[in-house]
Amino acid sequence: MTSPGTASQHDDLDRHVRDTLRELDAAASVGEADPGLLTLFDAMVGSRLLDIHARHMRDHGRGFYTIGSAGHESNAYVAEALRPSDPALLHYRSGGFFVARSMQAGRALDDALRAVLLSMLASTADPASGGRHKVFGDASLAVLPQTSTIASHLPRALGVALSLSRAKRLGVAARWAKDSVVVCSFGDASLNHSTAAGALNAAGYTSSQGLPLPLVFVCEDNGIGISVPTLGGWVAAAARRPGIGYVAADGADPDAARAAAAEVVDTARRTRTPMLLHLRTVRFLGHAGSDVEAAYRPAAAIAADRARDPLLALARRIGTPGLAARYDDIAERVGALAHELASTPTLQTAAAVMAPLAPRASGSMVDAALAPATAERRTEVFGTRLPEDGEGLTLAQSINAGLTDALASRSEMLVFGEDVGRKGGVYGVTRGLAQRFGAARVFDSLLDEQSILGLGLGLGVSGLLPVPEIQYLAYLHNAEDQLRGEAASLRFFSGGTFTNPMVVRIAGLAYQKGFGGHFHNDNAVGVLRDIPGLVVAVPSRPEDAAPMLRACLGAAAVQGQVSVFLEPIALYHEKDLHEPGDRGWLGAYSPTTRIPIGSARVHGTGSDLTIVTFGNGVRMSLRVAKRLADHGFGVRVLDLRWLAPLPMEDILLAAAATRRVLVVDETRHSGGVGEGVLAGLVEARYPGRMARVASKDSFIPLGDAANLVLLGEDEIESAAHALLGR
């Protein structure tokens, strides 16, 4: 036999298992095996042989993924303890669980083998992602595709678990059965990530408040992260959290592992409290196919792991002959299926790859999804003075009214974040909502942006309509992967079978008077604009705010859209435009108007210059336009309103009307919005003159020094005169 750790790790492991099974067969006593154990054996063998065959496919240039589950197959015991309808968010080494879940649902072993092979082959028939990635996922098995290797799916799992009781409390339908248990698996190295720490903290905190949270975390501890060993005893210490039950088991002890899995699932289902199963495993075949484990692990350590093989441990526990033949039979089936699927179709066009990203439902469908509440209901929540009956609203008041109308008409909608409940937000934008709609629908969160967004993701994928708030744009950046790696990617990596509808409200941009510094005046939006499929809205005028919010909410409700609603803080309570007391920055409210996503608004009909801008730039540009008009120049100001997708058709129409374009960009010169606008004009071969003004490439200091780096009206006016030739 080849010694452990030499070149062909997969063939070496395969031979070792076959030899050992034959030895066990020879020593076994004749008897009838437990059918349940045989089913688990088949699932584990299927998972193991898929990993081995993945290496063979790679060797022949036909497979695209070799991170496997070999050594982790004891997670099949967790699947056995659950129901096939319990939502599962799986670690990339949870192959045994996936195969066991498929068989538990009444499917043949070959069905699970075929599904995983299709994923390895990047086939369009892959039920998990349609050929976009190798993940464990299947909507019909309640397995949500996860692409994370750093525990970024843990916050979502928290949201899925909370959705069960919250949907029941609100009397709305959810995707999962009310008595479900949510399972979320991850590795020991991932336990050290801040996302995992935050999610575990949030789960324990939520449970300690008495809120139902039937969630089972499974830490699959193989003792190593790629090549870095996990400190002995660390997982046992770090995984114990207030409010979360802890149970440990060794995957190489079938009876103990099965009992532990049954215990944590039963406790979570019965008590509706979170549990953590610390499942000790081993890792065979290195981290991935390109990883030569012998380069950093001694041969003795690799050999010692062989003694803890969960597959062979289960074979010993079964104790009856015939397991070697069973293994051989499954190996032949894996090979035959792989041969059968060798010519399976793959994605052939960019359009096919991108199809799930951002579908657009018809306007009528979106309007129907957010039809206003009845007159009686609106009077109940607003009182006798409806927002459309006043003289005009500020931006903050318009957003508040829009949220109120949406909450009144959509019983599954939730608003939450730091200080949004009793306080009503640090700027009063959510004032009164908790009192009107109750703490089950409008509530405060922990000061943890990763958990806030993850909670929204889990609620959304479960059938609710979450509207989380990030208190300041600068606070988003430590949690941005929850948007990029989780929210925006779920539809893509599930082929559209899962979505997480969500509208993230973020207070941001600069120009606050008397209060600021970088962390309350952040103008960095580049991190949002390049996320595929994400909608980014920036309302500037009060009369546009609620209709834009309504468009985002409607798109979320109808097509599962994820949107960011970026609210300019400095404009929240502004009333005047040109002169103190002119009330030119108040706007009328409409409870039914919806502004289509990706449509701009043009102020004015001037024919000399088009100013393209957004947010605070709209107010500054309108003020500059008035001064230019006093000098005889006709200026039209285009408010982008949407930073993603950019309204390029509207930009080109407005630009053609004047043949001069000034892009006024309050964000930074490098990576700012203006770059995208100018690039669009150039790509469209716009023949007119173009210029751009933007804020400096700087963080924003405190006090009046901010004006030294932020774009100002004087710069806008000077650039306009330069384009106009005067």
Side-chain angles (χ1 to χ4, degrees):
M1 181 183 296
T2 309
S3 61
T6 54
S8 182
Q9 300 178 82
H10 48 283
D11 288 335
D12 176 48
L13 178 65
D14 186 34
R15 283 192 295 270
H16 170 73
V17 172
R18 290 176 190 263
D19 290 347
T20 304
L21 288 175
R22 282 194 288 270
E23 292 171 4
L24 291 174
D25 273 359
S29 57
V30 177
E32 187 172 340
D34 181 333
L37 293 180
L38 286 177
T39 298
L40 285 167
F41 180 80
D42 288 349
M44 290 187 183
V45 170
S47 178
R48 175 70 59 86
L49 289 168
L50 284 168
D51 290 339
I52 291 171
H53 204 81
R55 307 299 177 97
H56 291 156
M57 291 194 297
R58 181 208 57 183
D59 292 343
H60 293 86
R62 292 191 293 112
F64 303 98
Y65 196 88
T66 56
I67 298 178
S69 305
H72 281 242
E73 292 90 353
S74 54
N75 50 45
Y77 300 134
V78 181
E80 179 194 32
L82 291 159
R83 300 170 184 167
S85 58
D86 286 330
L89 295 83
L90 299 181
H91 181 45
Y92 58 87
R93 296 198 192 279
S94 295
F97 181 110
F98 181 79
V99 177
R101 164 65 64 95
S102 180
M103 297 173 70
Q104 187 185 38
R107 300 179 187 179
L109 173 62
D110 283 12
D111 294 329
L113 301 177
R114 181 179 288 105
V116 177
L117 285 167
L118 287 169
S119 190
M120 290 176 177
L121 292 165
S123 170
T124 54
D126 163 31
S129 74
R132 292 170 183 84
H133 195 51
K134 162 60 180 72
V135 289
F136 293 120
D138 189 328
S140 65
L141 295 175
V143 178
L144 288 72
Q146 306 301 315
T147 62
S148 167
T149 59
I150 52 168
S152 63
H153 58 301
L154 270 68
R156 185 201 296 275
L158 170 68
V160 174
L162 188 64
S163 76
L164 300 171
S165 62
R166 195 53 50 101
K168 180 180 179 181
R169 184 173 174 182
L170 299 180
V172 299
R175 185 168 189 151
W176 326 109
K178 295 177 182 178
D179 62 346
S180 294
V181 167
V182 179
V183 65
C184 175
S185 58
F186 58 99
D188 53 295
S190 295
L191 180 65
N192 297 310
H193 198 277
S194 64
T195 315
L200 291 170
N201 178 74
Y205 194 93
T206 299
S207 178
S208 296
Q209 293 181 86
L211 297 173
L213 198 72
L215 173 57
V216 172
F217 293 108
V218 181
C219 182
E220 300 183 17
D221 177 11
N222 62 32
I224 193 167
I226 304 184
S227 66
V228 180
T230 297
L231 185 66
W234 178 253
V235 172
R240 298 175 190 268
R241 303 296 177 105
I244 302 177
Y246 172 88
V247 176
D250 191 333
D253 183 339
D255 290 337
R258 289 180 85 192
E263 178 185 350
V264 295
V265 170
D266 176 68
T267 301
R269 197 181 307 278
R270 181 170 39 82
T271 66
R272 317 308 282 170
T273 57
M275 298 291 293
L276 189 145
L277 174 61
H278 176 192
L279 184 63
R280 289 185 289 275
T281 66
V282 292
R283 188 192 73 184
F284 296 140
L285 308 182
H287 177 70
S290 59
D291 179 28
V292 181
E293 196 172 27
Y296 56 84
R297 292 190 73 200
I302 297 173
D305 281 349
R306 294 277 179 91
R308 297 182 56 229
D309 187 334
L311 176 57
L312 295 177
L314 179 59
R316 293 185 180 94
R317 171 63 180 82
I318 293 171
T320 56
L323 297 182
R326 207 175 183 98
Y327 183 98
D328 293 343
D329 175 64
I330 295 174
E332 289 182 10
R333 287 152 68 181
V334 170
L337 284 168
H339 179 74
E340 172 193 325
L341 299 173
S343 58
T344 186
T346 57
L347 294 163
Q348 297 297 312
T349 66
V353 171
M354 297 166 63
L357 278 176
R360 293 280 178 260
S362 69
S364 59
M365 291 176 64
V366 174
D367 289 339
L370 278 178
T374 64
E376 292 78 12
R377 177 60 173 154
R378 294 192 74 228
T379 300
E380 179 185 345
V381 297
F382 283 114
T384 56
R385 184 181 175 87
L386 297 175
E388 61 266 32
D389 294 339
E391 297 179 357
L393 303 181
T394 63
L395 181 68
Q397 290 169 335
S398 180
I399 295 169
N400 180 281
L403 289 169
T404 302
D405 260 325
L407 284 162
S409 66
R410 302 288 303 197
S411 57
E412 78 277 23
M413 178 172 156
L414 306 172
V415 175
F416 54 93
E418 299 168 12
D419 301 303
V420 304
R422 274 182 282 183
K423 182 177 175 63
V426 293
Y427 294 98
V429 180
T430 57
R431 183 172 295 140
L433 297 184
Q435 290 77 11
R436 292 170 183 162
F437 297 100
R441 300 188 62 196
V442 181
F443 53 91
D444 294 323
S445 71
L446 289 173
L447 274 67
D448 175 13
E449 286 75 20
Q450 292 186 100
S451 294
I452 291 171
L453 293 178
L455 176 62
L457 296 177
L459 293 170
V461 77
S462 301
L464 300 174
L465 182 55
V467 183
E469 177 187 300
I470 300 298
Q471 198 167 81
Y472 289 100
L473 178 58
Y475 298 174
L476 169 70
H477 302 305
N478 66 45
E480 188 264 341
D481 183 59
Q482 289 295 302
L483 288 179
R484 179 182 303 275
E486 293 292 326
S489 71
L490 180 63
R491 179 193 289 276
F492 183 79
F493 287 121
S494 69
T497 59
F498 287 100
T499 62
N500 33 228
M502 183 168 71
V503 179
V504 184
R505 293 181 47 251
I506 305 177
L509 304 177
Y511 301 98
Q512 288 192 78
K513 295 180 177 66
F515 181 70
H518 165 70
F519 295 100
H520 301 92
N521 278 287
D522 189 14
N523 60 357
V525 300
V527 74
L528 296 171
R529 290 186 56 246
D530 76 338
I531 299 178
L534 183 71
V535 167
V536 182
V538 182
S540 59
R541 291 285 309 176
E543 64 269 23
D544 288 345
M548 290 174 68
L549 177 62
R550 198 167 292 122
C552 292
L553 290 168
V558 173
Q559 64 224 18
Q561 178 66 54
V562 181
S563 300
V564 167
F565 199 73
L566 182 58
E567 302 165 7
I569 298 172
L571 299 179
Y572 268 151
H573 305 298
E574 187 61 70
K575 297 179 180 179
D576 304 323
L577 176 54
H578 298 295
E579 303 292 341
D582 69 10
R583 302 178 73 80
W585 207 256
L586 297 178
Y589 180 81
S590 168
T592 56
T593 304
R594 177 186 57 83
I595 293 174
I597 290 173
S599 63
R601 176 183 180 182
V602 178
H603 298 267
T605 58
S607 58
D608 295 317
L609 175 66
T610 297
I611 296 178
V612 177
T613 188
F614 66 97
N616 294 288
V618 176
R619 184 170 181 272
M620 292 191 291
S621 296
L622 287 173
R623 289 163 61 88
V624 168
K626 183 178 184 300
R627 294 198 289 272
L628 292 171
D630 293 342
H631 289 85
F633 296 111
V635 179
R636 60 183 65 196
V637 176
L638 181 142
D639 180 359
L640 292 169
R641 300 195 293 198
W642 308 91
L643 304 188
L646 276 175
M648 282 310 304
E649 289 187 12
D650 293 339
I651 293 170
L652 290 168
L653 285 173
T658 64
R659 299 184 69 81
R660 296 183 187 89
V661 175
L662 175 61
V663 180
V664 172
D665 182 0
E666 67 176 284
T667 60
R668 297 171 191 164
H669 187 269
S670 299
V673 176
E675 290 181 348
V677 175
L678 288 179
L681 289 167
V682 170
E683 289 170 355
R685 299 184 179 180
Y686 173 65
R689 297 180 64 193
M690 297 178 286
R692 172 173 67 124
V693 287
S695 295
K696 301 292 190 293
D697 288 340
S698 172
F699 297 109
I700 299 170
L702 191 63
D704 292 341
N707 298 325
L708 301 175
V709 296
L710 291 173
L711 177 64
E713 291 181 21
D714 289 346
E715 291 176 80
I716 299 170
E717 191 166 354
S718 295
H721 278 294
L723 272 178
L724 291 164
R726 297 187 191 179

